[in-house]
Amino acid sequence: MRDGGALFSTAFGLGDQLLAYERIRTANYRLDRKPERLAELTKLVTAGTIRPVIGANLPLEEAPRALAGGVEVTGLRGKTVLKVR
């Protein structure tokens, strides 16, 4: 993470030490299964305000393998994207 960057957690949350780090912006952002929060995140990604790290791009048929941890990720570890179409 470079100085001035931003790190947001939508899953397990960031620790207090990382949240207090002053050279980057940090936040825990819980989705709570609320469609309006997902819509807000979609707008931020579309506008380029936030850029999710993609660890793997897979067809939907690969979901069982991905959930079982059988997907190899190269580079930075990030979210696994399942292509529906």
Side-chain angles (χ1 to χ4, degrees):
M1 175 71 54
R2 64 186 166 147
D3 286 352
L7 178 62
F8 298 95
S9 173
T10 59
F12 302 107
L14 304 173
D16 291 337
Q17 185 177 6
L18 191 54
L19 288 168
Y21 192 64
E22 295 179 6
R23 297 177 98 169
I24 60 174
R25 291 177 297 141
T26 58
N28 289 317
Y29 193 94
R30 291 190 42 118
L31 288 177
D32 296 329
R33 301 179 192 250
K34 294 183 180 178
E36 61 272 10
R37 288 213 175 167
L38 185 56
E40 180 184 349
L41 278 177
T42 301
K43 286 179 188 175
L44 291 171
V45 170
T46 302
T49 305
I50 60 174
R51 188 183 72 227
V53 176
I54 307 296
N57 237 321
L58 304 168
L60 184 59
E61 296 78 27
E62 295 290 327
R65 186 170 68 94
L67 289 170
V71 174
E72 190 171 324
V73 177
T74 58
L76 291 173
R77 183 180 169 102
K79 299 294 184 184
T80 298
V81 175
L82 296 173
K83 296 180 243 173
V84 177
R85 296 183 200 170

